[in-house]
Amino acid sequence: MNAPHPLAPLLSQDAGAARDTDPGETAEWREAFAGLLAAGGPERARFMLDELARLARAHRIGWKPELATPYVNTVAVEQQPVFPGDLALEERLGSLMRWNALAMVVRANQAYGELGGHIASYASAADLFEVGFNHFFHGRDAAALGRPEPGGAPSGGSAAHEVASVGATSLHRGDLVFFQPHSAPGVYARAFLEGRLSEADLMHYRQEIVAPAAGARGLSSYPHPWLMPDFWQFPTGSMGIGPISSIYHARFMRYLTHRKLLDCAGRKVWGVFGDGEMDEPESMSALTLAAREKLDNLVWVVNCNLQRLDGPVRGNGRIIDELEQLFAGAGWNVVKLVWGSDWDGLFARDTEGALARAFAHTVDGQMQTFAAKDGRYNREHFFGQDEALKRLAQGMTDEQIDRLRRGGHDLVKIHAAYAAAAAHRGQPTVILAHTKKGYGMGTAGQGRMTTHSQKKLDDDELIAFRNRFDLPLSDEAARGLAFYKPAEGSAEMQYLRARRAALGGQLPRRETVCDALPVPPLAGYAQFALAADGKEMSTTMAFVRLLGQLLKDPQLGPRIVPIVADEARTFGMANLFKQVGIYSSVGQRYAPEDIGSVLSYREALDGQILEEGISEAGAIASWTAAATSYSVHGLAMLPFYIYYSMFGFQRVGDAIWAAADQRARGFLLGATSGRTTLGGEGLQHQDGSSHLVAATIPNCKAYDPAFAGEMAVIVDAGMREMLVEQQDVFYYVTLMNENYAQPSLPEGAAEGVVRGGYRFGTYGPQDGPRVTLLGSGAILTEVVKAAEQLAAEGVGSEVLSITSWSELARPGGAGTLAQLLAGQGPIVAASDYVRAVPESLRAGVPSGRRYVTLGTDGFGRSDTRAALRRFFGVDAQAVAQAARQALAG
């Protein structure tokens, strides 16, 4: 005889009793379904429900199933796999990490009240992390790196502690793990036990400047690859960036596999995020892409502690229910991890479905209150709601009620949820893990409104925390916030190291081992640009031609990743559809309407272009995945993301900053750039500020070339710096859609182009009044016209092509700028950007020389290029007039 289904009580629950016109018939249907479930099992029951749903749709009765399921665990007790580890040891280790994380933050704030830090987030997520570290998060095997494991980490442990691992016998290039940023102290605490960080390091949490003087490394506030380049792999401190980035990293792994560049099978992307973080648009914006691409290599764990900084995430609702509906509707597999093992007996005895009914009517604000209160309060206010609940609590002490755990604090339940997620095929999976913010902090912060900002505990609260987790600390050590590390040969240390050794070693860990990638000679692919000889073209057109040539190179070509949001045809890239194809995980299942044309739309499994649709956030996330492949996968890739320049730094600047933190290498191409080159489009499409923002990012090299030859030299220099020299920089290059005569690059100018500027030409008489004219991008042609006007008036001028204002303004550009401005007379500088861009050079202007700047401040307009340049005062007439006035003094 089959055992009753764990949700059998819900089958008799008559939520629609008030509108049931035939209760007898309803009972027959319920009994029939219960019989089907008992005889045929869940698979047969699902099939029958699908058939009934199809029948209902065919008859258009206006019904669809609810996306929310009861507030219980998705994985039933009888479906749970046997826990493969030593439960007692893992709980003991988890408690030690909780303590060391707490001690680290509280110590820092006792010494320096201004440092901040977070305890409560990690307190809620500690067990979620530990199950991952011990059983699922795979590091990159040493053999995959081509070198021994750093630090000579032990690879064994006693036989009693050998447990099953995931893929331990085969070469593994490592999982990608995105960590909830406010939980960074817990990751540091684990690294301390592993021997990766010292006690001195922990004592310098958030003290990165002063730490080296004390022989320690400062620990960054959140995951920052730039600041801890051998430790953190992904920056997640800006809410929402981690979630969208994880999706596109998972998709990029499929891209590498399908293009036969790197086999990423067996690798997962894990993301541990907060429930409050799910309100960020970036967190939600790519959910359907993950489902559409069937990214079963992606698992999100959403830490549902129900609380954000100020209070409940959904005080008057249930965030777990809301997220379940959202993810299920987007096509994700949803695993609810709501209640711990302590509740199993209560559910088993609950034949009336009282618990499920109570949970269905308890909003998160009240659930937070239950978390903050003790067992006596919960007996009275939760179990006291009705007689059925009271009966369930009979025989339980207040302490037992207080210790009823939510699912995210139960290692056995977490392992079951993770195992289900790891085994699922055909969909990405989200685990909605119910936890308590500040778990174990008691009156100091558990479930309280102020818990996110709690950074200090008094002596009694420290002793209570010690007692709550049975820590091996004396009262004096607890009050003194002593860090605790078990003896080297202890069972805890052996187990800790054995688990990580079985899973490929240390994690998080950032790698930089990557073979250099040769770059072909510049003249071989860009001669048309270097020797343009007055041919008319736009720099966008020149770039696309250059890219097409690079794609043909047998070594570099396959590693190039062209990325567009939805403007390939606008930028003249349609010829690449045929040449390299658009990546599609399913190939092309249709005949495009333009199939007979030379530039027909072509999708392919091994397609090279990533066409992201109308999503700049998705495109920059895709670019970041490719631009960090050298580190994440040990395989250098070279992404070129081309887009309307206005929709770059202004629109997704936070994501670009995160890419900089992740030490990205690649090209961002701001097309139709400047405020006056995209005439008719107007205000929201005209970019006057991207170079100003780009200049604020230390490892971004921003260029505004006027001519095709300049652009080619810049791209070549960038490729060599990133692929051959393997420098952690990325290039931002603005391109124009304006056709004009392209001069050949002057001999010897290449070095100046890369440094930021060179002498383009001399005009007019050599004696008499003279001026120096600076211009960049589209406005350089106006500057040249102004020089010709002045020459006709007897005024001599020297025209400088400023390819990069920001490179000249940085400390390293001071020498080049001094050489360029070594002449006499006033200087007039003009660009298609706000005046602050050319103003950035003022500090380097030689004393005694007047410096006048022209720019396109204000809102954009719709009109012709000529009208726009006249309006903003950056045309030839305006430049010449500024020079005359400067000469007149």
Side-chain angles (χ1 to χ4, degrees):
M1 183 175 180
N2 290 330
H5 191 271
L7 298 185
L10 300 181
L11 298 176
S12 61
Q13 185 177 323
D14 192 1
R19 60 177 185 273
D20 190 347
T21 59
D22 192 342
E25 183 182 35
T26 303
E28 291 177 7
W29 275 90
R30 284 182 177 145
E31 290 173 8
F33 183 75
L36 175 70
L37 181 61
E43 186 174 354
R44 179 63 180 165
R46 286 193 296 269
F47 172 82
M48 190 57 67
L49 289 172
D50 288 340
E51 285 299 306
L52 290 173
R54 275 191 285 272
L55 186 62
R57 285 194 297 270
H59 287 275
R60 295 180 175 84
I61 67 171
W63 173 89
K64 59 183 178 182
E66 292 183 11
L67 293 175
T69 60
Y71 209 71
V72 297
N73 294 341
T74 299
V75 181
V77 176
E78 64 272 15
Q79 296 172 330
Q80 289 177 195
V82 175
F83 186 74
D86 187 317
L87 188 58
L89 272 179
E90 291 193 26
E91 288 180 339
R92 204 145 65 231
L93 283 165
S95 296
L96 294 179
M97 289 166 204
R98 288 177 186 276
W99 171 260
N100 286 331
L102 177 146
M104 183 192 330
V105 176
V106 176
R107 269 178 173 270
N109 284 278
Q110 282 185 347
Y112 309 96
E114 66 192 87
L115 289 178
H118 303 276
I119 302 170
S121 291
Y122 176 67
S124 68
D127 298 307
L128 300 174
F129 280 17
E130 285 308 300
V131 171
F133 276 123
N134 286 323
H135 302 283
F136 294 93
F137 300 164
H138 207 298
R140 196 184 302 184
D141 292 332
L145 295 169
R147 58 177 173 76
E149 178 77 15
S155 60
S158 65
H161 299 144
E162 290 298 327
V163 291
S165 64
V166 182
T169 59
S170 60
L171 187 66
H172 200 294
R173 301 190 69 88
D175 289 339
L176 284 57
V177 185
F178 291 75
F179 290 97
Q180 188 178 12
H182 294 100
S183 297
V187 182
Y188 295 142
R190 167 171 266 270
F192 168 60
L193 291 194
E194 292 175 335
R196 301 176 63 194
L197 298 177
S198 68
E199 185 169 316
D201 297 334
L202 265 59
M203 292 180 70
H204 287 84
Y205 171 62
R206 293 193 171 195
Q207 299 163 65
E208 297 166 86
I209 297 172
V210 302
R217 70 181 299 179
L219 304 182
S220 60
S221 54
Y222 305 118
H224 289 305
W226 191 268
L227 299 173
M228 297 181 68
D230 63 336
F231 193 91
W232 292 116
Q233 196 171 33
F234 304 108
T236 55
S238 185
M239 300 287 99
I241 300 298
I244 191 171
S245 185
S246 71
I247 290 174
Y248 280 88
H249 271 282
R251 201 277 299 270
F252 190 70
M253 288 165 66
R254 289 287 174 82
Y255 173 88
L256 291 176
T257 299
H258 288 154
R259 292 195 54 222
K260 296 181 171 54
L261 294 171
L262 187 72
D263 185 1
C264 295
R267 300 171 65 193
K268 294 280 188 185
V269 178
W270 297 84
V272 184
F273 308 118
D275 48 357
E277 185 174 6
M278 294 299 105
D279 284 343
E280 289 285 2
E282 293 89 348
S283 297
M284 299 287 102
S285 65
L287 294 187
T288 54
L289 176 136
R292 184 169 68 248
E293 297 287 314
K294 296 180 170 54
L295 296 181
D296 51 21
N297 60 341
L298 176 66
V299 179
W300 280 12
V301 182
V302 179
N303 177 18
C304 297
N305 58 35
L306 315 184
Q307 191 172 339
R308 54 191 181 208
L309 275 68
D310 292 335
V313 176
R314 295 290 185 273
N316 297 302
R318 285 186 299 280
I319 188 61
I320 290 180
D321 284 353
E322 181 181 320
L323 292 178
E324 179 184 22
Q325 294 177 65
L326 180 65
F327 280 92
W332 286 52
N333 173 47
V334 180
V335 176
K336 291 167 76 170
L337 171 60
V338 189
W339 306 112
S341 302
D342 313 306
W343 290 87
D344 289 344
L346 294 174
F347 277 112
R349 299 201 309 273
D350 183 18
T351 58
E352 303 175 43
L355 284 172
R357 284 197 301 274
F359 293 143
H361 295 93
T362 302
V363 296
D364 286 355
Q366 186 61 45
M367 197 70 77
Q368 180 190 5
T369 301
F370 291 147
K373 300 297 184 180
D374 60 13
R376 177 174 292 278
Y377 180 93
N378 283 287
R379 179 191 297 279
E380 295 175 2
H381 292 84
F382 178 76
F383 288 103
Q385 293 181 70
D386 59 42
E387 291 303 317
L389 290 173
K390 286 180 182 178
R391 287 193 295 272
L392 288 176
Q394 285 178 356
M396 296 179 69
T397 66
D398 290 346
E399 183 179 6
Q400 286 174 321
I401 291 175
D402 193 45
R403 293 295 183 98
L404 286 171
R405 288 176 295 178
R406 295 180 180 178
H409 301 305
D410 186 320
L411 301 184
V412 174
K413 295 293 187 183
I414 297 169
H415 181 274
Y418 283 20
H424 189 76
R425 295 292 175 264
Q427 292 172 289
T429 293
V430 62
I431 297 170
L432 303 176
H434 195 198
T435 66
K436 293 181 181 181
K437 193 158 190 175
Y439 179 66
M441 292 173 65
T443 57
Q446 179 171 288
R448 297 186 177 276
M449 294 291 187
T450 58
T451 189
H452 186 83
S453 301
Q454 184 72 342
K455 308 176 195 319
K456 297 180 180 180
L457 283 78
D458 62 28
D459 288 352
D460 290 342
E461 290 164 342
L462 290 170
I463 295 296
F465 191 94
R466 188 270 318 265
N467 294 341
R468 170 69 179 81
F469 292 103
D470 195 23
L471 297 162
L473 295 166
S474 66
D475 288 357
E476 181 181 5
R479 294 190 188 100
L481 294 165
F483 295 117
Y484 185 85
K485 188 174 185 178
E488 201 59 38
S490 65
E492 291 89 348
M493 295 299 283
Q494 288 187 59
Y495 187 88
L496 179 80
R497 287 179 172 151
R499 292 311 311 130
R500 286 314 312 160
L503 287 166
Q506 300 166 350
L507 195 149
R509 181 178 69 194
R510 182 176 177 275
E511 299 292 346
T512 57
V513 176
C514 181
D515 291 336
L517 189 60
V519 174
L522 175 60
Y525 63 87
Q527 189 61 26
F528 74 94
L530 300 174
D533 294 331
K535 182 178 180 181
E536 283 206 358
M537 70 179 95
S538 67
T539 51
T540 297
M541 184 190 305
F543 166 74
V544 173
R545 183 173 173 183
L546 180 147
L547 181 63
Q549 291 294 102
L550 288 173
L551 285 164
K552 296 174 184 176
D553 185 79
Q555 289 182 285
L556 177 61
R559 304 288 189 89
I560 290 175
V561 184
I563 301 172
V564 290
D566 189 39
E567 295 283 359
R569 295 186 191 275
T570 301
F571 303 139
M573 297 174 65
N575 62 307
L576 298 183
F577 295 165
K578 275 287 184 72
Q579 182 178 341
V580 294
I582 298 166
Y583 170 71
S584 166
S585 62
V586 295
Q588 191 161 33
R589 295 174 171 174
Y590 62 94
E593 62 83 19
D594 60 352
I595 194 168
S597 72
V598 176
L599 304 179
S600 65
Y601 200 78
R602 184 174 76 88
E603 299 184 68
L605 184 65
D606 61 350
Q608 200 160 344
I609 302 169
L610 290 174
E611 213 281 4
E612 302 298 3
I614 304 175
S615 173
E616 284 83 10
I620 195 67
S622 207
W623 179 85
T624 302
T628 57
S629 177
Y630 75 94
S631 170
V632 175
H633 306 295
L635 182 74
M637 300 295 288
L638 185 64
F640 289 88
Y641 170 32
I642 184 169
Y643 55 90
Y644 271 57
S645 65
M646 190 61 162
F647 304 144
F649 287 87
Q650 174 167 306
R651 185 155 187 167
V652 290
D654 194 12
I656 296 175
W657 187 265
D661 190 353
Q662 201 175 326
R663 309 174 82 103
R665 301 174 185 171
F667 287 91
L668 297 174
L669 291 310
T672 59
S673 63
R675 187 148 281 167
T676 69
T677 63
L678 189 62
E681 292 286 348
L683 189 153
Q684 287 189 305
H685 284 69
Q686 293 171 352
D687 166 31
S689 59
S690 66
H691 274 283
L692 191 64
V693 182
T696 67
I697 301 178
N699 56 336
C700 174
K701 293 192 171 185
Y703 291 88
D704 185 31
F707 303 122
E710 295 174 352
M711 179 274 299
V713 166
I714 291 164
V715 170
D716 185 73
M719 291 193 297
R720 295 181 191 285
E721 189 171 9
M722 291 182 275
L723 299 177
V724 180
E725 300 171 21
Q726 299 196 43
Q727 298 297 309
D728 296 343
V729 297
F730 65 98
Y731 277 51
Y732 174 57
V733 184
T734 42
L735 306 172
M736 280 75 70
N737 65 334
E738 182 180 359
N739 290 322
Y740 47 75
Q742 298 285 337
S744 297
L745 188 72
E747 187 176 349
E751 184 178 354
V753 168
V754 176
R755 287 186 174 183
Y758 67 98
R759 289 179 172 83
F760 177 76
T762 300
Y763 299 81
Q766 296 300 305
D767 52 1
R770 293 192 62 79
V771 295
T772 301
L773 305 180
L774 281 61
S776 72
I779 302 305
L780 182 60
T781 58
E782 299 292 332
V783 169
V784 170
K785 293 175 187 175
E788 292 170 345
Q789 289 180 20
L790 292 170
E793 300 169 12
V795 177
S797 64
E798 186 173 48
V799 174
L800 305 183
S801 176
I802 303 302
T803 52
S804 177
W805 302 95
S806 55
E807 286 301 295
L808 290 176
R810 287 173 174 171
T816 301
L817 184 59
Q819 292 175 9
L820 290 173
L821 301 181
Q824 300 295 318
I827 304 167
V828 178
S831 83
D832 213 7
Y833 298 87
V834 294
R835 286 181 58 241
V837 173
E839 277 290 327
S840 65
L841 299 188
R842 185 173 292 277
V845 174
S847 60
R849 298 197 70 182
R850 188 174 181 186
Y851 186 61
V852 179
T853 57
L854 305 178
T856 55
D857 294 64
F859 286 115
R861 300 289 193 279
S862 297
D863 215 307
T864 64
R865 293 188 183 105
L868 287 168
R869 288 168 187 166
R870 180 86 288 271
F871 174 81
F872 284 110
V874 292
D875 63 355
Q877 182 180 338
V879 174
Q881 183 60 24
R884 296 186 195 103
Q885 292 175 347
L887 284 167

